[in-house]
Amino acid sequence: MTGTGGEEMGAQAARSRALAVLRVRSRALAVALLPAAVAVVLLVGGATGRLPGTGWDAARWAVSVLAVLVLLAAAAVALVVARARPAATPTVTIAEESAPDLYRMVRDLADRLDVPAPSAIALTPDCDSWLEDRTHPAHGPPPAPRRTDPAVPGGHARPRGAAAPVLVIGSPFLWWMRVGELRAVLAPVVAGTGPSAHPDIAAARRFIRGLDAAVAVASADRRNPLSRAACAGLARVCRLLLRGCRVHAAQMERGVASAAAERAQAVDYGLRIAAQEQVGLAYAGWDRLLTRVALPAWRMGRWPSRLDVGVVAALTELSRRDRLAEGFASRLGERPACDLLEEPGAMDEAVSLLTARLFHGGPETGPDWSPVDWDEYPEEVVDRTWRTDAARLHRVLDTLGVRRAAEEDTAPGTEGPTLARVLDHLTVPTDGPGAAPGMASADGPGTLPGTTPAVGPGAPPHTAPTDGPIDPSRTAPAPQATPHPPTDGAPAPGDTTAPGDTPAPGETPAHPEDDDDLGGTTTRGAALAAGLSAQLAREEAAAQRAGAGTAAPATPAATAGAAGPDAALWDDGALPLLPLQPPRSGREILTAHITAMVCCAAMDTAGATPGLDWLDGPSLLFDGARAADLAPSVLSLVETGDPGPLRHWMTELGIRPEKPVRLV
């Protein structure tokens, strides 16, 4: 079968399914008009004397009232469906004057495919690209069609007033891919503007989007009982219509995709195969960058202003580590797709701010929310995060009544917060009269009754993720209609690693504690974990109260007149739309805070420095090299109360636990 024949078959299938969707709409209209038609027949019969009698008079009144009620209800449903605002992906629109080369490339691609060019181009923080219809009045006035836009394939001119969809491009593609690779990836996407311009397909899509938006309107929380009843009826009708359209709509979109793929097959087909490998790499790098690097900064009220540049650095590092990525770095000598932008730095900043809003909910209110450059990240984010968590750890120890070193008649000058205080409190005496009461149970020393037994010193602790490479073959992105936070690179629940392997300690909000949260640690560790979780919850609640009613600060992109996120496309009250990680357990919070305290002691007593690993986030550096084997030592202290492995690790590196450290 030829490409043209395949395209025609896919387009015909899409149009056939679009007509099926429109038939569902027509049937719904017919059902709404049926009582009115019956009422008209009865009224005409009465006026002409053909249907006399009290019975027919009663029927005329009943059917007429029913017809009026049904028509009013149908009109209300139709009005809501027509006026409801369809969902739109939050994006950063690229003006043509800020990216003439990119617009020229897309239009040349559309001319070669013989389809209408997209009406606009926008960036989104996702590893995917798609077409999005923004012709609804709530999305703003559509761009005026250009004279160079070709007619709809098949000899039909584009309907008057219709605008081509917007081309949404994942920002990591623009920075990581080369120009040729981006063109090859966008070819089947741009080819979809042809079927999208067909009147039946466009009408079917508008009907489905309207129903979906109406369901969202009906699902809004309302206090008025009458409004709730009306919304319940509206939602029931819209869901019934959506169920009737579901199969046809899915088959219609498959036909559109098939037609677009067949039409684009002759454009850069060989290069598209190689470009798909870069799609998988970009997905893996973006995932790691968000969960390991950006999230710690967002938790501290800072947002990295060059996330897409960080993707390039992360993927370059991945190419260096991973044998499967050998040869990928050689392509860096080719022209990057971000060169198609006039001001890639300003666009990167705008996308980075949008990313923070979608995945974290920022910008936070208050003076601390500000951008941070990558060269400032170790000091402004890593060091500050560790010292903040260490300070919280000592505050909770104070509330638990744990004495400081000065109260134990130790050497002068050691009255400040020390790591030794933490180690001594969590150490579990194994025998002798000094054993702490309540520290032993049937499950073994230092465990809570009914919880998971602690791992003994001779048993292997929970292993931390290694610094090894990612296998790109196991990270294949799935197309998404809205930004979707990848989770392949996120640490699994319960997995605790060194500061170079996980997001910075304390970055995840606490949640109510239960036995599962506090399992796998000692009695003292469980009490300390509960205190830390409660303290984190109080701090988060206080921050929310302090930020209530405070206007968000103006962003540099907005004040400079540069491109900024299209804030009109989403509701600020619903942010974050896509939170990255669930709350951590109490054991994870405790482990993170102890790790932070160890890192502070290493920096203040052994000359270690905070660092940034592009794939693993915050790192502890000794002479420029990442510290290893910290996670198993900390886990041994948390799970069994045995400080031996951690003390041995610190002795080898010259860390002095009895020395006070500087906290925030």
Side-chain angles (χ1 to χ4, degrees), residues 464 467 498 501 626-634 645-646 649 652:
D467 297 335
D501 294 324
R626 288 182 57 184
D629 302 329
L630 174 58
S633 303
V634 173
L646 183 56
W649 182 86
E652 289 185 340

Side-chain angles (χ1 to χ4, degrees), residues 172-462:
F173 293 168
L174 210 60
W175 267 260
W176 173 245
M177 289 185 174
R178 309 299 99 180
V179 173
E181 295 170 346
L182 181 65
R183 176 186 172 91
V185 169
L186 293 181
V189 182
V190 174
T193 60
S196 299
H198 192 275
D200 293 335
I201 295 177
R205 284 176 166 176
R206 283 195 302 270
F207 177 59
I208 294 171
R209 283 196 303 269
L211 290 176
D212 185 67
V215 170
V217 170
S219 301
D221 187 19
R222 288 177 171 82
R223 298 181 179 179
N224 191 333
L226 183 60
S227 299
R228 285 201 302 268
C231 289
L234 172 64
R236 182 163 186 167
V237 171
C238 292
R239 289 193 177 99
L240 179 63
L241 294 175
L242 282 174
R243 282 196 295 270
C245 299
R246 180 181 304 165
V247 176
H248 300 302
Q251 294 296 331
M252 178 184 70
E253 296 301 336
R254 288 193 184 98
V256 170
S258 174
E262 290 294 334
R263 180 175 290 273
Q265 190 171 11
V267 179
D268 301 330
Y269 180 74
L271 185 59
R272 195 181 312 149
I273 298 176
Q276 288 301 324
E277 298 178 354
Q278 305 308 318
V279 171
L281 271 179
Y283 188 88
W286 184 248
D287 175 16
R288 298 281 286 239
L289 189 76
L290 292 185
T291 57
R292 307 293 180 92
V293 178
L295 188 57
W298 296 335
R299 295 296 186 194
M300 296 304 298
R302 309 297 297 273
W303 54 280
S305 58
R306 296 292 186 270
L307 280 179
D308 290 302
V309 171
V311 169
V312 177
L315 293 177
T316 303
E317 177 65 16
L318 176 62
S319 301
R320 184 186 66 82
R321 294 185 188 181
D322 198 340
R323 293 181 179 180
L324 295 176
E326 289 180 359
F328 287 168
S330 61
R331 41 184 294 284
L332 298 180
E334 304 174 11
R335 186 189 183 193
C338 62
D339 279 359
L340 300 173
L341 304 175
E342 291 292 314
E343 297 182 5
M347 199 62 62
D348 193 1
E349 183 176 359
V351 174
S352 300
L353 179 59
L354 175 60
T355 308
R357 301 198 60 163
L358 292 179
F359 292 106
H360 178 63
E364 300 285 1
T365 55
D368 292 335
W369 182 265
S370 58
V372 59
D373 293 331
W374 290 125
D375 55 354
E376 301 173 350
Y377 187 94
E379 290 295 331
E380 296 293 330
V381 176
V382 181
D383 182 87
R384 183 182 169 194
T385 298
W386 287 342
R387 296 189 188 278
T388 299
D389 286 356
R392 184 183 300 110
L393 176 62
H394 281 277
R395 287 198 302 271
V396 174
L397 287 175
D398 291 338
T399 61
L400 294 177
V402 180
R403 293 181 298 174
R404 290 180 178 262
E407 301 175 6
E408 300 174 359
D409 298 329
T410 55
T414 61
E415 65 275 5
T418 64
L419 177 58
R421 181 194 189 197
V422 180
L423 298 179
D424 293 343
H425 175 68
L426 293 178
T427 298
V428 176
T430 56
D431 52 18
M439 296 299 292
S441 70
D443 295 325
T447 60
L448 287 173
T451 61
T452 304
V455 180
H462 293 280

